[in-house]
Amino acid sequence: MENGRIIKVAGPLIVAEGMSGADMYDVVHVGHNKLIGEIIEMRDGNASIQVYEETAGIGPGEEVVSTGEPLSVELGPGIIGQIYDGIQRPLEELVERYGANITRGVYVPSLDREKKWTFIPSVEVGASVIGGDIIGTVQETSVVLHKIMVPNGMSGTVAEIRGGDFTITETVCVLHTLQGKKELSLMQKWPVRVQRPYQNKLAPNEPMITGQRTIDTFFPIAKGGTAAVPGPFGSGKTIVQHQLAKWSDVDIVIYVGCGERGNEMTDVLREFPELKDPRTGESLMQRTVLIANTSDMPVAAREASVYTGITIAEYFRDMGYAVALIADSTSRWAEALREMSGRLEEMPGEEGYPAYLTSRLAQFYERAGRVTCCGTEGRYGELSAIGAVSPPGGDISEPVSQATLRIVKVFWGLDASLAYARHFPAINWLNSYSLYEDRLGQWYTDNLGPEFQQQRGEAMVLLQQENELNEIVRLVGIDALSPKDRLTMEVARILREDFLQQNAFTESDSYTSLGKQKGLLGLILHYHHIALKAIENGADMEALFSISARERIGRAKSVPEDEYETVYAAIREEMENEIEEILAAVSTGGDWA
């Protein structure tokens, strides 16, 4: 251990002298309260330390003790279902021991040392293993099988292994290695700033199904992909991320509340235990880890919370799971970087952010991906990273938004005007994009048929044409449009209101399967096709707009998943019959109105 003395206190930044024996990113204990901090700069034996707890009352002369270890997380059974702070302290345990007002400097182990887990070995004595190989399993929750892996960098022959009930610190396996005998427990540690290794990084080839029609149909994200959700205050970033956390078809969700308001994390804590996973029927908390770092917590801990989250996500990815990391929001993390950079008196970049802002964001997002995991098994794992961005005033030309957009492959641009019009999700279909569309095209063709890609393209063209026609309508009024253009406007309105818009609070509409999405989109476009032919044959457009099947299309998105095929077929038949009647009246000179 290296002991030093505080010579300067500047908010969350502490400068200590006599720390020449310490290393960058070592964890230190500051002052008589033993506040947890991390060395972020070394200069002539003086260490600049960012402290993850409130520094009020700390003064020069107090002792600083280095632990000699980097900031690390404990990885093992007991993570799932937990809510941690930014440095992986279990908040529920802290509240039980110290009450709602948590005392500074307190330490509680991240994982329960007393609880026993049933370990089932999957290798035998004499087996050769390398880092990443699975030596056994623990049923952590009803939906997550926790795979106990050989720590990275270790290899040898199994000398002893036993099943049964163990705490996370008890030895379950002994390896013969070149360095001698190594005892393995259910738990391992990993430094948060170091990316966990893998064999190969692969191109993503499968979409992450979210149940949100705008995302899945028009702007998909791949499993192992990266996405940004920028938008101004009140545009629904948090709600979009909650929906992704609830319904995405991944095995594990890591939700990081990074500097956001406490009531948003409270909503997550209240909702997730009550919500059922559509795939398993179990509580969503059975596959979720929450990391809470709210806006009233010290700013330095925002950086730790992001790295803690991505490291836990990598750990479950290494087991061969599909993992989604959702960070809300990276702008708050960037603000913390700006504050610490200012206190370090570094040369500022654009708008006061540090010059290394882009590289820090890139280091975070590049830890996502689809990989071949370490080990002899050759299993695959996916880690998708989705970050919200909160640009001041909704101006995405600011540095954090621009740096993020240069890195991520999917942009879901939220629009305040759509949010104020109660259009959820408020993703602007004219500004948003996904660079995974071409790569995922084959998957969509194989699973939904080639017509789905055509329908998606046709729908986007209609929405873009509506935007152009709106300019004409503003100038000369809708009556100046031709019947075909009026039909384009009407079908685009149906797409906006009945397809793109979703109700997050209604069970039947909060989540939509891909099959139902394809059926609904096909129903709307079929109406466009046959109505267009009817107009060409002289049918009155007002009559076409007022058919009863048109109202049923508006309600079609609320049809339960197990009924939609039958109901959609009935609507399609009714629609065709009603338009045939209109055409028959036209051909006989009857009263089609």
PDB file of all heavy atoms in Angstrom, residues 115-131:
ATOM      1  N   LYS A 115     -24.729 -16.471   1.102  1.00  0.00           N
ATOM      2  CA  LYS A 115     -25.679 -17.300   0.356  1.00  0.00           C
ATOM      3  C   LYS A 115     -24.971 -18.460  -0.325  1.00  0.00           C
ATOM      4  O   LYS A 115     -23.893 -18.307  -0.895  1.00  0.00           O
ATOM      5  CB  LYS A 115     -26.413 -16.446  -0.688  1.00  0.00           C
ATOM      6  CG  LYS A 115     -27.486 -17.220  -1.438  1.00  0.00           C
ATOM      7  CD  LYS A 115     -28.341 -16.315  -2.304  1.00  0.00           C
ATOM      8  CE  LYS A 115     -29.408 -17.109  -3.024  1.00  0.00           C
ATOM      9  NZ  LYS A 115     -30.284 -16.260  -3.842  1.00  0.00           N
ATOM     10  N   LYS A 116     -25.594 -19.618  -0.290  1.00  0.00           N
ATOM     11  CA  LYS A 116     -25.043 -20.807  -0.941  1.00  0.00           C
ATOM     12  C   LYS A 116     -25.749 -21.041  -2.279  1.00  0.00           C
ATOM     13  O   LYS A 116     -26.964 -20.879  -2.384  1.00  0.00           O
ATOM     14  CB  LYS A 116     -25.192 -22.029  -0.031  1.00  0.00           C
ATOM     15  CG  LYS A 116     -24.227 -22.027   1.156  1.00  0.00           C
ATOM     16  CD  LYS A 116     -24.282 -23.341   1.912  1.00  0.00           C
ATOM     17  CE  LYS A 116     -23.261 -23.369   3.056  1.00  0.00           C
ATOM     18  NZ  LYS A 116     -21.886 -23.565   2.556  1.00  0.00           N
ATOM     19  N   TRP A 117     -24.956 -21.413  -3.271  1.00  0.00           N
ATOM     20  CA  TRP A 117     -25.454 -21.688  -4.606  1.00  0.00           C
ATOM     21  C   TRP A 117     -25.156 -23.150  -4.952  1.00  0.00           C
ATOM     22  O   TRP A 117     -24.123 -23.678  -4.581  1.00  0.00           O
ATOM     23  CB  TRP A 117     -24.772 -20.781  -5.630  1.00  0.00           C
ATOM     24  CG  TRP A 117     -24.986 -19.322  -5.380  1.00  0.00           C
ATOM     25  CD1 TRP A 117     -24.199 -18.489  -4.645  1.00  0.00           C
ATOM     26  CD2 TRP A 117     -26.068 -18.529  -5.855  1.00  0.00           C
ATOM     27  NE1 TRP A 117     -24.720 -17.226  -4.625  1.00  0.00           N
ATOM     28  CE2 TRP A 117     -25.865 -17.215  -5.371  1.00  0.00           C
ATOM     29  CE3 TRP A 117     -27.188 -18.791  -6.651  1.00  0.00           C
ATOM     30  CZ2 TRP A 117     -26.748 -16.170  -5.656  1.00  0.00           C
ATOM     31  CZ3 TRP A 117     -28.062 -17.744  -6.942  1.00  0.00           C
ATOM     32  CH2 TRP A 117     -27.834 -16.462  -6.448  1.00  0.00           C
ATOM     33  N   THR A 118     -26.076 -23.777  -5.683  1.00  0.00           N
ATOM     34  CA  THR A 118     -25.888 -25.166  -6.093  1.00  0.00           C
ATOM     35  C   THR A 118     -25.057 -25.205  -7.365  1.00  0.00           C
ATOM     36  O   THR A 118     -25.502 -24.760  -8.424  1.00  0.00           O
ATOM     37  CB  THR A 118     -27.240 -25.854  -6.316  1.00  0.00           C
ATOM     38  OG1 THR A 118     -28.005 -25.789  -5.112  1.00  0.00           O
ATOM     39  CG2 THR A 118     -27.045 -27.317  -6.713  1.00  0.00           C
ATOM     40  N   PHE A 119     -23.852 -25.732  -7.232  1.00  0.00           N
ATOM     41  CA  PHE A 119     -22.913 -25.800  -8.353  1.00  0.00           C
ATOM     42  C   PHE A 119     -22.943 -27.193  -8.963  1.00  0.00           C
ATOM     43  O   PHE A 119     -22.797 -28.195  -8.261  1.00  0.00           O
ATOM     44  CB  PHE A 119     -21.491 -25.464  -7.859  1.00  0.00           C
ATOM     45  CG  PHE A 119     -20.424 -25.644  -8.905  1.00  0.00           C
ATOM     46  CD1 PHE A 119     -20.323 -24.785  -9.978  1.00  0.00           C
ATOM     47  CD2 PHE A 119     -19.511 -26.697  -8.804  1.00  0.00           C
ATOM     48  CE1 PHE A 119     -19.329 -24.948 -10.940  1.00  0.00           C
ATOM     49  CE2 PHE A 119     -18.514 -26.875  -9.749  1.00  0.00           C
ATOM     50  CZ  PHE A 119     -18.426 -25.989 -10.827  1.00  0.00           C
ATOM     51  N   ILE A 120     -23.149 -27.250 -10.287  1.00  0.00           N
ATOM     52  CA  ILE A 120     -23.176 -28.536 -11.014  1.00  0.00           C
ATOM     53  C   ILE A 120     -21.985 -28.562 -11.956  1.00  0.00           C
ATOM     54  O   ILE A 120     -21.938 -27.805 -12.930  1.00  0.00           O
ATOM     55  CB  ILE A 120     -24.491 -28.698 -11.806  1.00  0.00           C
ATOM     56  CG1 ILE A 120     -25.690 -28.627 -10.844  1.00  0.00           C
ATOM     57  CG2 ILE A 120     -24.495 -30.002 -12.588  1.00  0.00           C
ATOM     58  CD1 ILE A 120     -27.032 -28.610 -11.529  1.00  0.00           C
ATOM     59  N   PRO A 121     -20.983 -29.412 -11.693  1.00  0.00           N
ATOM     60  CA  PRO A 121     -19.784 -29.449 -12.557  1.00  0.00           C
ATOM     61  C   PRO A 121     -20.128 -29.918 -13.964  1.00  0.00           C
ATOM     62  O   PRO A 121     -21.041 -30.721 -14.169  1.00  0.00           O
ATOM     63  CB  PRO A 121     -18.874 -30.460 -11.858  1.00  0.00           C
ATOM     64  CG  PRO A 121     -19.408 -30.590 -10.468  1.00  0.00           C
ATOM     65  CD  PRO A 121     -20.879 -30.346 -10.559  1.00  0.00           C
ATOM     66  N   SER A 122     -19.377 -29.404 -14.939  1.00  0.00           N
ATOM     67  CA  SER A 122     -19.561 -29.847 -16.325  1.00  0.00           C
ATOM     68  C   SER A 122     -18.259 -30.378 -16.923  1.00  0.00           C
ATOM     69  O   SER A 122     -18.202 -30.691 -18.106  1.00  0.00           O
ATOM     70  CB  SER A 122     -20.104 -28.701 -17.182  1.00  0.00           C
ATOM     71  OG  SER A 122     -19.272 -27.575 -17.107  1.00  0.00           O
ATOM     72  N   VAL A 123     -17.192 -30.456 -16.106  1.00  0.00           N
ATOM     73  CA  VAL A 123     -15.942 -31.074 -16.552  1.00  0.00           C
ATOM     74  C   VAL A 123     -15.531 -32.126 -15.521  1.00  0.00           C
ATOM     75  O   VAL A 123     -16.030 -32.127 -14.387  1.00  0.00           O
ATOM     76  CB  VAL A 123     -14.803 -30.034 -16.725  1.00  0.00           C
ATOM     77  CG1 VAL A 123     -15.115 -29.073 -17.848  1.00  0.00           C
ATOM     78  CG2 VAL A 123     -14.523 -29.296 -15.424  1.00  0.00           C
ATOM     79  N   GLU A 124     -14.638 -33.007 -15.895  1.00  0.00           N
ATOM     80  CA  GLU A 124     -14.185 -34.068 -15.001  1.00  0.00           C
ATOM     81  C   GLU A 124     -12.707 -33.891 -14.668  1.00  0.00           C
ATOM     82  O   GLU A 124     -11.986 -33.153 -15.339  1.00  0.00           O
ATOM     83  CB  GLU A 124     -14.412 -35.442 -15.654  1.00  0.00           C
ATOM     84  CG  GLU A 124     -15.882 -35.747 -15.916  1.00  0.00           C
ATOM     85  CD  GLU A 124     -16.063 -37.090 -16.609  1.00  0.00           C
ATOM     86  OE1 GLU A 124     -15.043 -37.676 -17.036  1.00  0.00           O
ATOM     87  OE2 GLU A 124     -17.218 -37.538 -16.713  1.00  0.00           O
ATOM     88  N   VAL A 125     -12.288 -34.572 -13.620  1.00  0.00           N
ATOM     89  CA  VAL A 125     -10.875 -34.540 -13.227  1.00  0.00           C
ATOM     90  C   VAL A 125     -10.022 -35.047 -14.398  1.00  0.00           C
ATOM     91  O   VAL A 125     -10.359 -36.041 -15.050  1.00  0.00           O
ATOM     92  CB  VAL A 125     -10.634 -35.407 -11.970  1.00  0.00           C
ATOM     93  CG1 VAL A 125      -9.150 -35.525 -11.673  1.00  0.00           C
ATOM     94  CG2 VAL A 125     -11.371 -34.816 -10.778  1.00  0.00           C
ATOM     95  N   GLY A 126      -8.937 -34.345 -14.674  1.00  0.00           N
ATOM     96  CA  GLY A 126      -8.050 -34.711 -15.776  1.00  0.00           C
ATOM     97  C   GLY A 126      -8.296 -33.927 -17.040  1.00  0.00           C
ATOM     98  O   GLY A 126      -7.472 -33.975 -17.966  1.00  0.00           O
ATOM     99  N   ALA A 127      -9.416 -33.209 -17.099  1.00  0.00           N
ATOM    100  CA  ALA A 127      -9.728 -32.435 -18.308  1.00  0.00           C
ATOM    101  C   ALA A 127      -8.799 -31.230 -18.424  1.00  0.00           C
ATOM    102  O   ALA A 127      -8.461 -30.587 -17.430  1.00  0.00           O
ATOM    103  CB  ALA A 127     -11.180 -31.979 -18.270  1.00  0.00           C
ATOM    104  N   SER A 128      -8.367 -30.916 -19.639  1.00  0.00           N
ATOM    105  CA  SER A 128      -7.559 -29.723 -19.887  1.00  0.00           C
ATOM    106  C   SER A 128      -8.497 -28.552 -20.192  1.00  0.00           C
ATOM    107  O   SER A 128      -9.407 -28.683 -21.026  1.00  0.00           O
ATOM    108  CB  SER A 128      -6.619 -29.943 -21.071  1.00  0.00           C
ATOM    109  OG  SER A 128      -5.663 -30.929 -20.767  1.00  0.00           O
ATOM    110  N   VAL A 129      -8.272 -27.438 -19.522  1.00  0.00           N
ATOM    111  CA  VAL A 129      -9.134 -26.273 -19.711  1.00  0.00           C
ATOM    112  C   VAL A 129      -8.275 -25.030 -19.928  1.00  0.00           C
ATOM    113  O   VAL A 129      -7.115 -24.968 -19.504  1.00  0.00           O
ATOM    114  CB  VAL A 129     -10.071 -26.054 -18.502  1.00  0.00           C
ATOM    115  CG1 VAL A 129     -11.080 -27.176 -18.381  1.00  0.00           C
ATOM    116  CG2 VAL A 129      -9.279 -25.910 -17.209  1.00  0.00           C
ATOM    117  N   ILE A 130      -8.867 -24.041 -20.614  1.00  0.00           N
ATOM    118  CA  ILE A 130      -8.200 -22.749 -20.813  1.00  0.00           C
ATOM    119  C   ILE A 130      -9.161 -21.639 -20.388  1.00  0.00           C
ATOM    120  O   ILE A 130     -10.338 -21.903 -20.079  1.00  0.00           O
ATOM    121  CB  ILE A 130      -7.776 -22.557 -22.281  1.00  0.00           C
ATOM    122  CG1 ILE A 130      -9.012 -22.568 -23.197  1.00  0.00           C
ATOM    123  CG2 ILE A 130      -6.779 -23.611 -22.707  1.00  0.00           C
ATOM    124  CD1 ILE A 130      -8.704 -22.201 -24.644  1.00  0.00           C
ATOM    125  N   GLY A 131      -8.649 -20.413 -20.359  1.00  0.00           N
ATOM    126  CA  GLY A 131      -9.483 -19.290 -19.953  1.00  0.00           C
ATOM    127  C   GLY A 131     -10.743 -19.179 -20.788  1.00  0.00           C
ATOM    128  O   GLY A 131     -10.691 -19.221 -22.018  1.00  0.00           O
TER     129      GLY A 131
END
